[in-house]
Amino acid sequence: MSNTHVPQRYTSLELPEHAGILGMSVRAAERVIEEARPGQGLLDLTGADTHCFPPPDWVLSDFAEAASGGGPTYTPARGDGAVREAVAANLTRFLAVPVDPERRLILTPGTQAALFTAISALVEPGDLVVLPDPDYMLTERICRFFGATVERVSLTLTDDGYADLDLDRLEELMRRRPRMFVFSNPNNPSGAVYSPGLIKQIAELAETYGVFVLADELYSRLVYDGRTATHIVDDERVRDSSLTLLGPSKTESLSGYRVGTAVGPDWMIDRMSDVLYVSAIRCPAYAQHTLKRWMSEDLDFVARRVAVYQELRDAAVSGLNSIPGITVPTPGGTSYVFPSFRELGVSDVEFCRLLKEEAGLVVNPGFQFGMNSSGHIRICFAQDPAALNDALARIGALVERISGR
Amino acid sequence: MSNTHVPQRYTSLELPEHAGILGMSVRAAERVIEEARPGQGLLDLTGADTHCFPPPDWVLSDFAEAASGGGPTYTPARGDGAVREAVAANLTRFLAVPVDPERRLILTPGTQAALFTAISALVEPGDLVVLPDPDYMLTERICRFFGATVERVSLTLTDDGYADLDLDRLEELMRRRPRMFVFSNPNNPSGAVYSPGLIKQIAELAETYGVFVLADELYSRLVYDGRTATHIVDDERVRDSSLTLLGPSKTESLSGYRVGTAVGPDWMIDRMSDVLYVSAIRCPAYAQHTLKRWMSEDLDFVARRVAVYQELRDAAVSGLNSIPGITVPTPGGTSYVFPSFRELGVSDVEFCRLLKEEAGLVVNPGFQFGMNSSGHIRICFAQDPAALNDALARIGALVERISGR
């Protein structure tokens, strides 16, 4: 049975067209990087160090109270009613649009599940979905899993921390009436923040061509230099034809609890709720309660964290730019930098393998975020400051060895 | 945008062929039942009272330790390596087959996600999947969501607590080379236990016709009268062409933590891991640690719980059978009884609506488990004993009113 039929949707996860760049499929390339010397005390730069930057104190106690009888074990697929009421009130303030807890909000097992259920509830095989390149590494795979074709729009991080999106290309693709435009704002992996003007232009194109917009705003509290994130749902032209994903997994370090939220039109929330019911039943019931104080009692906490992360960002950017052959603009948001190593003349797979085997560092290769983003690596700088400095020194030493070869 | 295109897979969730029985779609029928007088202090008999029957004491403390820095926040998609090692050792004892923690085991966000990822990784649109009727209420919807056609095999709970499956019909369907046979053992909703002889016959048919077997054994620790569950994976003929789902959500009351496991051939675990990565990233990281003592340090706990549940089962069966017009055999496992009310001459939707509106009780209607299982309700008897007795009295009073009309 080892050669049991492989369904098309599973095969589609592999992104085979990347093989031209990588010399192998995406999963094979990822495995080369993942499997190099596993478990040898490597420093993982793919996500934040949540031990160094833990969640607010009340998170675990609110969970424990719910798990000890304070909260129901079985909730509706879209989440506990009382939790949704609290979350909706806080999101109404954050987004500056009314969030109806019964009709326009769903709690999901992480933002990933929100992305997956949203795409599954809208795209048909053969549909076109448009994404920036680079953008979140699993969006294209989900679209392909459900039979959609993905086209990319080039995105660049400008020197002032904002996103420069190729709007001519976007309009060209919008004319083909894609089912969705999906984008992360701030952009994962580059840290580019979408300016109010750019958001307005995207909303206008979406309205003109009748395209649903999915805005992954997972990093919208993590913006620097006094910026604020612009929420596309604030534009009335797409209020009922967009979905906004938000969650406490990044800035607030709740990734281990697997909770997220989505705000959108009632028909979309209904569909996501039906899909969530068959795919996962519900967002973990006790963990739902960790959302009640989110975005209300954590304002000072987040302000302090953003200040600390901004210092780490500056250290990462200046450290990386001091390495000959590595260049990176300063991101306006997220906990990532996305430096280019194209001058070094090594492939993503080779550079990441060397980083792991010779420098003891695990990073995400650029190809994961889009075919045109190879020649970059994504580094999460939300690390213990000494560990980050050590990692930067190790990258410098490796690059020196590569350049001398 | 409210009339935005509805993809075929979403429409398939609705099980429209049920409309002939129900006079409406499944979701519409469910909503009639769900929406009757919400939140008026109803007694929910759709699941166990986890406040009355909580998990073992160490569950919350193991979670808290992991969440406080004792466990990693980011794990591989198939789960933390150390947790998988502990789980594999305990499952090897329970299943009596070697469970390789690296290759044959995945931790999932609830058993639901295991079912969803397994089906998505194997079925192609147009495939046939075979299920008993009745069986777990969401399996058919998942199959249809991924484009499969579902055919049912009649299952009856015998007077001695075992499953009587229509093997002639099963063979007839197996000849059509379905992609999978999916079954819950013990059966949800009827509580029927599959005998060793029946399991052997299923394994033989599966081998003969080359059909993959998915065994949902979520209730396999919850068997009564000294029975033990038979694991189909123990039959060498299907060891590499079957997947076994197990989890602590039912007997051990961990449903609120959203953790489950699947044991199967390496190629299937690899595929599920890839699908889980894009659909949910991973089983909640800290909750994974609640599995380490599962099936090793909870043996006495489970023995005591089974004894208590067996008394509740007996109270439910004798109470229901004392109501004229209601009949139910004694289940050999699970926390459910699945009484017939066919003699009353009311529909599932009407009876469940009356139970909610006039008796204050929420139960699952039979149609959710298969078209031929209408005229039944599923009652979870894992309730506070006084509440269960009160519920039985309320059902009796309602039935008396219906019969007198």
Side-chain angles (χ1 to χ4, degrees), chain B residues 337-357:
Chain B
V337 283
F338 196 57
S340 168
F341 60 89
R342 287 183 176 168
E343 289 177 34
L344 301 179
V346 291
S347 72
D348 284 21
V349 175
E350 184 63 6
F351 192 50
C352 289
R353 194 187 60 77
L354 289 171
L355 279 168
K356 185 155 184 178
E357 290 186 359

Side-chain angles (χ1 to χ4, degrees), chain A residues 165-234:
Chain A
L165 191 70
D166 183 346
L167 286 170
D168 291 337
R169 166 80 172 153
L170 180 60
E171 181 154 22
E172 182 191 314
L173 290 167
M174 288 282 204
R175 281 204 193 94
R176 289 168 55 190
R177 308 281 165 170
R179 186 68 66 200
M180 309 175 94
F181 173 65
V182 186
F183 74 115
S184 51
N185 176 24
N187 176 259
N188 175 357
S190 73
V193 173
Y194 285 66
S195 70
L198 180 55
I199 289 294
K200 205 171 161 180
Q201 286 169 296
I202 294 169
E204 190 170 316
L205 287 173
E207 187 198 31
T208 302
Y209 297 103
V211 177
F212 192 90
V213 175
L214 202 167
D216 170 359
E217 300 192 1
L218 199 53
Y219 295 90
S220 53
R221 303 184 86 187
L222 205 49
V223 286
Y224 304 115
D225 314 310
R227 289 181 186 81
T228 53
T230 306
H231 310 293
I232 198 162
V233 69
D234 287 349

Side-chain angles (χ1 to χ4, degrees), chain B residues 22-41:
Chain B
L22 304 173
M24 61 190 84
S25 77
V26 163
R27 281 302 292 147
E30 287 174 338
R31 287 195 183 105
V32 167
I33 298 162
E34 287 163 7
E35 288 171 7
R37 290 202 328 186
Q40 307 246 338

Side-chain angles (χ1 to χ4, degrees), chain A residues 12 17 20 23 77 101 121 146 192 199 221 274 356 362 375:
Chain A
S12 298
E17 70 268 32
F146 289 114
I199 289 294
R221 303 184 86 187
D274 286 346
K356 185 156 183 176
V362 188

